[in-house]
């Protein structure tokens, strides 16, 4: 359900909060948290600063809401991957989904979480903390899925579920950086293919 907010005094028109948030997400995704100025955000969202503050709070609060939207709309493949029948299928679903998301012609390249976490200064510690907390939650879910795979004999006993989860996230982060730098889908697909060739297990 869309929310509509009236613009403060002197601007009688209204705007759709959901549409404005989607546009803010695009700016943050393209420029990172610190790279996105208030001018960039208000121009893209089609609203004034007072309207942004009234609807979303400050820039930091807006980013957290944009990150919620990003996870809900762009990272669905992560949740779907956990239901795959084998650990290798889980990894493949995540890697293929990441390539699809990172090279989409409809969105900025790369990963919002990686862009914002790596470009944050000490002054934006709460942003980095939020991004890392969300990443840790995803890693914990993946770790439990790989631990289950090992209990079921799907992963060899000598493989540590935590290590293989960290390995997979390292590949994902590396692909996100490469995508942001202009790597093509074909190039990232080769990274996925090579990673899967080295996967321990069937």
């Amino acid at each position: 359900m869309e929310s509509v907010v009236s613009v403060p005094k002197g601007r009688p028109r209204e705007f759709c909060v959901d549409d404005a948030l989607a546009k803010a997400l695009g700016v943050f995704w393209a420029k990172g948290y610190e790279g996105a100025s208030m001018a960039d955000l208000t121009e893209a969202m089609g609203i004034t600063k007072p309207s942004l503050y009234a609807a979303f709070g400050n820039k930091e609060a807006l980013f957290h809401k944009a990150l919620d939207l990003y996870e809900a709309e762009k990272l669905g493949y992560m949740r779907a991957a956990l239901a795959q029948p084998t650990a290798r299928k889980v990894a493949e679903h995540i890697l293929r989904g990441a390539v699809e998301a990172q090279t989409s012609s409809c969105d900025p390249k790369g990963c919002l979480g990686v862009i914002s976490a790596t470009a944050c200064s000490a002054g934006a510690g709460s942003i980095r903390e939020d991004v890392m907390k969300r990443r840790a939650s995803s890693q914990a879910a993946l770790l439990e899925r790989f631990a289950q795979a090992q209990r079921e004999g799907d992963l060899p006993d000598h493989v540590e579920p935590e290590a293989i989860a960290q390995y997979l996230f390292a590949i994902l982060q590396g692909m996100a950086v490469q995508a942001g730098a202009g790597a093509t889908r074909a190039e990232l697909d080769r990274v996925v293919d090579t990673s899967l060739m080295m996967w321990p297990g069937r």
Side-chain angles (χ1 to χ4, degrees):
M1 179 177 177
E2 293 187 342
S3 302
V4 176
V5 172
S6 295
V7 176
K9 295 178 181 179
R11 301 290 297 276
R13 67 185 179 83
E14 298 179 332
F15 69 92
C16 173
V17 171
D18 294 340
D19 288 345
L21 181 59
K23 290 172 182 174
L25 170 58
V27 175
F28 284 129
W29 195 347
K31 299 189 174 187
Y33 174 73
E34 292 191 320
S37 68
M38 288 296 288
D40 293 331
L41 291 164
T42 53
E43 180 179 358
M45 297 165 78
I47 61 176
T48 62
K49 262 190 191 180
S51 299
L52 187 154
Y53 291 135
F56 301 103
N58 55 20
K59 177 185 173 184
E60 182 177 336
L62 175 62
F63 179 81
H64 292 309
K65 290 182 174 68
L67 202 53
D68 288 339
L69 179 62
Y70 176 78
E71 288 189 338
E73 291 193 348
K74 309 300 180 183
L75 298 183
Y77 65 87
M78 291 287 292
R79 294 183 292 275
L82 299 178
Q84 297 300 306
T86 67
R88 188 181 190 283
K89 286 290 186 183
V90 170
E92 181 170 13
H93 196 91
I94 290 175
L95 291 170
R96 302 288 184 201
V99 171
E100 178 71 29
Q102 293 168 3
T103 61
S104 168
S105 60
C106 303
D107 298 307
K109 309 303 181 186
C111 169
L112 175 61
V114 171
I115 292 168
S116 296
T118 56
C120 279
S121 67
S126 67
I127 296 300
R128 178 188 292 273
E129 183 180 340
D130 186 25
V131 171
M132 300 302 289
K133 182 178 179 181
R134 292 171 189 251
R135 184 178 301 160
S137 177
S138 295
Q139 284 182 304
L142 188 61
L143 171 59
E144 174 51 35
R145 178 63 186 86
F146 287 157
Q148 174 191 336
Q150 192 168 61
R151 290 193 297 270
E152 295 171 347
D154 179 38
L155 275 178
D157 290 340
H158 69 275
V159 174
E160 295 182 15
E162 183 175 4
I164 202 70
Q166 290 175 335
Y167 167 72
L168 184 56
F169 268 83
I171 295 171
L172 289 170
Q173 290 166 12
M175 291 198 310
V177 172
Q178 291 185 22
T184 65
R185 178 160 187 161
E187 290 170 335
L188 295 181
D189 279 337
R190 285 199 294 271
V191 173
V192 173
D193 292 341
T194 302
S195 300
L196 293 173
M197 286 172 57
M198 298 185 289
W199 189 260
R202 52 184 190 273

